[in-house]
Structures are given as C-alpha cells and as structure tokens.
C-alpha cells in the first residue's frame, strides 16, 4: 500500500518540486511525516486526518508514514496538506487515477476538507513551467488566477478535497469557473502630485534626474521644507513596471503573502517607507524563515528613509553592500537565500538635531559637538553610495504661494519614461544608468577634453573616491539624456558635480 504524488515548497524566491511518498502498513495506528519538515508541515497530520474524514473518506487505522523527498531540503508552509491527503487516499485505494504523477498539488486544507490559499503560487507556477510543462498544477480557487499568469502551464482548481478527488479520478470536473468572479484592479491615483509642490525647483530637478536614471538621493534641509512631500511625489513620476519587472515584484509579494489573490500583476513601482525604529532583520530580511525585508520589498522601486540619521547604525551599515551589488544574500544556519535589491534609495535628514543649522531665518541651538555627533551617525562609505546630495531650503511666503507653471506628475513621468527608453536601447536590457557596470560607465560616460579637465580639478581638490568618480559620470549621463544629447558636455558634468559636492 504505497503511493507517490507531487507537491511544491517555496524557499526564498525558488520553488522546489517535492515527491510525497506515502506508505500505509500494518501496525499500531500512527501518522509520521519525515523529510526535514518544519513545524507548519508536521502540523498537517491533524489537518489532513480531519479533512479526510469530513470529506467522506476513511482515514486508515494503520501505520502511515509520509516521506517528503528530497529529504535534505527543508520544507515549510501549509501547501503540502493537499498532496499528503491525496497520497494517503491513493495508498488506501480511495483515489484511483492512472495519471496521478502528472499532477502537482498545492493547498492548505481546513478541518472540513475545503481548500485555503497559500502564498508563493506564482513562484511555483514559474518554476514548474521552466522544469516540465507537462505537469498539471492544482491549486486552491483563490490562487487559480495567480497561477494562470503563467500562460504555458495547465492549471486547475476545486473548492474541496472531495471535488479534486472526483476530478482526477474522472468522476467529476474541476471548478475553474471561479475565474469569472475575478475583478482586475485599476491603477491607484498618485496621492501627491508633482504640481502640489511649490518652489524647490532645484530639488525637483534633482529628483527628476534620479527618477530618469534610477539614482540614490539624500536630501538635507530644515523641518517643514518639503523633503517628505518631495519623496512621496517622487513615486508618481516613476514609469510603470515593465513586464519582467512586474513579474519579479509580484512574485516577491506573492511569496510573502502581501498581495490579494486577484490574479493581477503589480504594475506600480513599490514605495516603501519604513519607520526609523526598524530592526536589521526588518530592513534586510532574515529571521527564522529567512523572509525578505524592506530592502527587497522595494525591488524595482523606491526605499524612502525619512529621518535618515535616526536609524540604528547597524541597520544603515547593512545597506552598504546591497546598494553596491543590487542584490542581497542572507546566510543563516537554516540556509542561504539571495533576494533582489534593485532599488533607488531616497533619504532625508535635518542638518543638525534642532534642524536649523545653516537656516538664515532661524538660529541653531546646537553645539558643534552635537552637530558633529549627529552627522557622525552616517558613515562616509554609506554616504559615498548616494549619487546626489540635495539641499532643500526653507521656503519664504511668496514661494509657498506661487503656483505658476507647476507641471503635473504625468508630464514629468513622460520625460522620465522617454529617458528610460534611451537607456534600455543603449544598454541592451531593462537597466538604468545607475546600474551600469564600470565597463559600461567607461564606454558611455566619455567626456570632452574640457569636461575631463573639469572633473580632474574637482576630483583632486575634493579628494573624491573612485566610486564617486563613476557615480558622477552616471548622473552626468542621465542629465545628458534628459537634454537629448548623445554626448556628455561640460554643462552636464557641472550639474552632476554640483549635486555631488553640495
């Protein structure tokens, strides 16, 4: 009395095919699950036993052993409930199907035998389509639309264990009509429009450059100068995600259980704004189950760090390597997982603890030691990874009331999208100027003789690093693209330098 069916488990952003082997033998009644199963998988014993009985089938009063192969791969989550239950029914002759191994099952079972949704279905479907398109994926009804985002894979669903058994035994049909009730969401409107920001032309210009080239920006200014408002409006000028980027973002959010099961791809770029009390695990990910953090949730989008120096130093320092490599590898005792980190970081900070150092209209009450300690919370290597440093001064009354010729977010987004198209053609992939390698920066960041002379003077006088040199060239390349120029002229370079050493 042996049967084998297939299920899947998700670790990080990879789904692995699991062969669920069930053996029913004579002996004292027992139910054992082996194969490096976590607590959530071992608890399937009680769910599966009740689901089988309440679905009208007999649970064997014998020794039941379930092996999850490969045995050296950690299994987690409740998605293996369904293949375990079907394996038991097949081993006891209650599920008759000659093509049982063509199916891959995933779903959580309730005690009454109905199917509940599980996270990571899109990742399972993508992995299964790459490995073997001949498999048929069976998922809960709420996950069916998500699974069918992978068009080349056959997927089906039913609401209960009993109906699935009848369908695979050719005594009934799958209940795929659930798709007719899926409502595709509309794109949300921008909460803060670009035209809502009065004044701050230099800061708006800097953020437009950053959006066009995917650059990192740190804004500094007194309280109430508009730094947070600028960052919120920044998300509205970013182009929509490309098809590949949309799949990657949706896949990450699906694995984390952060999207509704409506079968639609995420089309807007993520905008993550963690509080400054966030922990290191909350920022970069990890923990017991190696979950992604805020940095990975902002993939292909924006990570906004408000009150930059107030973050714990260990949290900020752990961002240094991901900002350079644009990916993050988390290694713990439980294993090693790589998460993407292709983000644009927007940070805002005050010039001092009271916030008014350098403000001509207010007197700073901080001592030099307090200012030094406040700025010392940010290390030089971390600040060196920000392409642009922007001053956001306090507005006067006339600038605050001036509402002439303010462009909307849609108009600015069109310019940003046009520049992104130029970069994609130049680089041969969906990359921004900020993602150029050192070789690409050298090839596409060539300067005129006068530009080389200017950069040499600034480089020597300001004692810039090699990283700063390349980042200046990438920003200058973006400024030239915004100006419709194929060459980087001295005026483009001068503007990029201004944002670097301001």
């Amino acid at each position: 009395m042996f049967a084998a069916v297939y299920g899947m488990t998700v670790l990080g952003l990879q789904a692995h095919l699991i062969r669920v082997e069930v053996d029913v033998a004579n002996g004292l009644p027992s139910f054992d699950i082996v194969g490096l199963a976590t607590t959530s998988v071992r608890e399937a014993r009680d769910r599966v036993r009740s689901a089988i009985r309440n679905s009208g089938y007999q649970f064997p009063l014998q020794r039941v052993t379930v092996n999850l192969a490969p045995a050296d791969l950690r299994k987690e989550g409740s998605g293996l409930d369904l293949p375990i239950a079907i394996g038991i029914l097949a081993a006891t002759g209650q599920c008759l199907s000659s093509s049982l191994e063509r199916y891959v099952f995933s779903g959580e079972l309730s005690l009454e035998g109905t199917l509940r949704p599980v996270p990571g279905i899109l990742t399972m479907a993508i992995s299964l389509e790459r490995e073997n398109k001949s498999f048929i994926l069976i998922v809960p009804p709420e996950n069916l639309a998500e699974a069918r985002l992978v068009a080349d894979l056959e997927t089906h669903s039913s609401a209960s264990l009993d109906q699935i058994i009848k369908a695979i035994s050719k005594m009934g049909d799958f209940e795929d009509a659930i798709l007719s009730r899926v409502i595709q969401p509309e794109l949300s409107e921008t909460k803060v429009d670009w035209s809502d920001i009065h004044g701050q032309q230099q800061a708006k210009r800097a953020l437009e450059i950053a959006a066009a080239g995917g650059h990192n920006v740190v804004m500094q200014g007194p309280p109430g100068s508009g730094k947070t408002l600028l960052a919120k409006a920044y998300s509205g000028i970013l182009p929509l995600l490309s098809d590949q980027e949309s799949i990657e973002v949706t896949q990450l959010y699906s694995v984390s259980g952060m999207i509704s099961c409506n079968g639609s791809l995420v089309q807007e770029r993520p905008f993550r704004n963690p509080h400054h009390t966030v922990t290191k695990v909350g920022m970069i990910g990890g923990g017991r189950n190696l979950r992604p953090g805020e940095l990975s949730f902002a993939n292909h989008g924006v990570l906004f760090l408000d009150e930059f120096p107030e973050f714990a130093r260990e949290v900020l320092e752990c961002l240094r390597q991901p900002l350079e490599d644009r990916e993050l590898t988390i290694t713990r005792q439980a294993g090693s997982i790589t998460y993407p980190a292709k983000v644009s970081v927007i940070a805002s900070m005050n010039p001092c603890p009271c916030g008014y150092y350098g403000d001509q209209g207010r007197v700073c009450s901080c001592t030099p030691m307090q200012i030094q300690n406040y700025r010392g919370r940010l290390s030089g290597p971390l600040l060196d990874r920000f392409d642009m440093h922007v001053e956001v001064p306090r507005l006067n009354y006339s600038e605050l009331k001036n509402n002439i010729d303010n462009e909307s977010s849609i108009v600015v987004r069109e310019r940003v999208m046009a520049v992104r198209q130029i970069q994609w053609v130049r680089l041969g992939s969906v990359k921004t100027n900020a993602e150029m390698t050192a070789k690409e920066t050298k090839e596409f960041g060539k300067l005129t003789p006068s530009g080389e002379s200017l950069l040499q003077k600034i480089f020597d006088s300001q004692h810039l690093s090699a990283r700063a040199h390349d980042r200046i060239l990438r920003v200058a390349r973006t400024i030239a693209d915004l100006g419709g120029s194929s060459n980087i002229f001295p005026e483009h370079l001068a503007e990029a330098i201004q944002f670097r050493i301001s």
Side-chain angles (χ1 to χ4, degrees):
M1 301 176 68
F2 170 85
V5 299
Y6 286 106
M8 297 196 82
T9 188
V10 177
L11 297 177
L13 292 179
Q14 296 292 326
H16 302 273
L17 194 65
I18 303 298
R19 180 179 168 90
V20 180
E21 302 170 345
V22 180
D23 177 72
V24 180
N26 293 329
L28 292 175
S30 64
F31 189 178
D32 298 316
I33 298 178
V34 297
L36 207 58
T38 60
T39 302
S40 60
V41 179
R42 292 196 300 269
E43 288 178 347
R45 293 176 297 187
D46 299 318
R47 293 192 296 269
V48 168
R49 182 185 289 109
S50 297
I52 289 177
R53 289 174 176 172
N54 292 326
S55 297
Y57 299 95
Q58 296 295 322
F59 188 86
L61 296 177
Q62 295 170 284
R63 184 174 180 177
V64 179
T65 303
V66 176
N67 178 47
L68 307 177
D72 61 343
L73 182 69
R74 182 168 56 93
K75 293 88 180 175
E76 61 181 29
S78 57
L80 292 173
D81 288 7
L82 181 59
I84 291 175
I86 293 178
I88 293 174
L89 294 177
T92 55
Q94 300 178 78
C95 174
L96 302 176
S97 176
S98 59
S99 58
L100 192 60
E101 292 198 359
R102 289 184 53 211
Y103 295 96
V104 176
F105 303 94
S106 181
E108 177 184 335
L109 287 174
S110 69
L111 298 183
E112 61 182 351
T114 58
L115 266 68
R116 290 174 175 166
V118 294
I121 289 295
L122 179 59
T123 299
M124 296 180 190
I126 292 175
S127 299
L128 200 60
E129 187 268 339
R130 290 173 181 172
E131 291 180 8
N132 193 336
K133 295 181 181 179
S134 63
F135 276 118
I136 301 174
L137 181 61
I138 309 299
V139 298
E142 293 86 348
N143 292 128
L144 182 58
E146 180 182 346
R148 289 193 169 177
L149 291 173
V150 182
D152 294 336
L153 182 68
E154 184 179 354
T155 55
H156 295 290
S157 175
S158 288
S160 65
L161 173 63
D162 178 49
Q163 187 62 34
I164 289 179
I165 296 300
K166 291 178 179 178
I168 62 179
S169 301
K170 308 302 181 183
M171 294 184 295
D173 297 321
F174 290 106
E175 300 174 328
D176 295 340
I178 188 70
L179 273 180
S180 62
R181 299 198 295 271
V182 173
I183 301 176
Q184 298 294 335
E186 298 180 357
L187 293 177
S188 60
E189 297 182 358
T190 304
K191 294 182 180 180
V192 180
D193 194 82
W194 204 245
S195 60
D196 296 333
I197 304 174
H198 299 179
Q200 304 297 5
Q201 296 303 318
Q202 183 183 23
K204 291 168 74 173
R205 167 68 175 173
L207 290 181
E208 182 178 342
I209 295 171
H215 303 289
N216 301 327
V217 180
V218 57
M219 297 183 290
Q220 178 177 295
S225 58
K227 301 184 295 296
T228 303
L229 191 68
L230 283 164
K232 291 181 179 180
Y234 176 79
S235 61
I237 66 173
L238 294 174
L240 299 179
L241 293 166
S242 65
D243 292 341
Q244 181 60 35
E245 291 173 336
S246 182
I247 291 176
E248 291 177 8
V249 174
T250 306
Q251 184 180 355
L252 181 64
Y253 279 54
S254 172
V255 167
S256 305
M258 296 176 60
I259 60 173
S260 58
C261 303
N262 55 17
S264 62
L265 293 172
V266 177
Q267 296 182 357
E268 297 177 330
R269 295 188 179 272
F271 183 86
R272 306 294 297 185
N273 181 15
H275 192 260
H276 63 259
T277 57
V278 65
T279 63
K280 183 169 66 173
V281 172
M283 179 64 76
I284 67 170
R288 187 172 183 178
N289 296 325
L290 296 181
R291 284 177 52 85
E294 291 290 337
L295 183 64
S296 297
F297 289 141
N299 187 44
H300 294 306
V302 181
L303 178 65
F304 176 46
L305 303 178
D306 201 6
E307 304 296 342
F308 198 26
E310 300 297 335
F311 285 81
R313 187 179 181 89
E314 65 172 4
V315 174
L316 296 180
E317 292 305 305
C318 69
L319 296 176
R320 286 161 55 175
Q321 179 267 333
L323 292 184
E324 194 73 23
D325 298 339
R326 295 188 175 268
E327 68 176 15
L328 173 66
T329 300
I330 303 174
T331 303
R332 299 291 186 271
Q333 185 178 5
S336 180
I337 292 178
T338 298
Y339 287 114
K342 296 181 180 180
V343 303
S344 295
V345 180
I346 307 295
S348 67
M349 58 179 291
N350 297 324
C352 65
C354 77
Y356 297 107
Y357 178 75
D359 190 344
Q360 297 179 357
R362 300 286 295 270
V363 177
C364 175
S365 60
C366 303
T367 65
M369 182 61 68
Q370 288 176 320
I371 297 175
Q372 182 179 352
N373 292 337
Y374 181 76
R375 296 186 175 183
R377 298 176 185 176
L378 304 175
S379 66
L382 177 62
L383 290 176
D384 201 36
R385 286 166 168 79
F386 283 84
D387 306 329
M388 307 170 71
H389 299 245
V390 183
E391 293 288 338
V392 185
R394 179 176 55 86
L395 296 175
N396 56 41
Y397 189 80
S398 60
E399 291 175 324
L400 185 63
K401 293 299 182 179
N402 184 13
N403 193 26
I404 301 176
D405 297 332
N406 273 354
E407 295 179 312
S408 66
S409 295
I410 297 177
V411 175
V412 180
R413 177 190 285 181
E414 291 177 354
R415 289 201 300 267
V416 169
M417 189 62 195
V419 174
R420 293 257 178 143
Q421 294 283 358
I422 295 173
Q423 297 170 48
W424 297 341
V425 172
R426 178 195 300 130
L427 300 175
S429 62
V430 186
K431 291 173 57 177
T432 59
N433 287 334
E435 299 176 69
M436 287 194 298
T437 63
K439 182 179 179 180
E440 291 171 335
T441 302
K442 184 177 180 180
E443 179 182 356
F444 301 117
K446 295 180 180 179
L447 302 175
T448 62
S450 57
E452 287 284 1
S453 176
L454 173 61
L455 184 56
Q456 181 182 1
K457 292 178 181 178
I458 297 297
F459 187 87
D460 292 336
S461 63
Q462 297 293 325
H463 307 288
L464 299 178
S465 65
R467 180 188 294 112
H469 171 272
D470 285 358
R471 290 181 180 269
I472 288 175
L473 291 180
R474 292 165 189 163
V475 174
R477 178 68 268 171
T478 302
I479 295 173
D481 291 340
L482 275 169
S485 173
S486 58
N487 298 319
I488 301 177
F489 292 109
E491 56 267 26
H492 304 141
L493 179 63
E495 187 175 5
I497 293 174
Q498 168 201 338
F499 288 125
R500 183 72 192 190
I501 63 175
S502 59

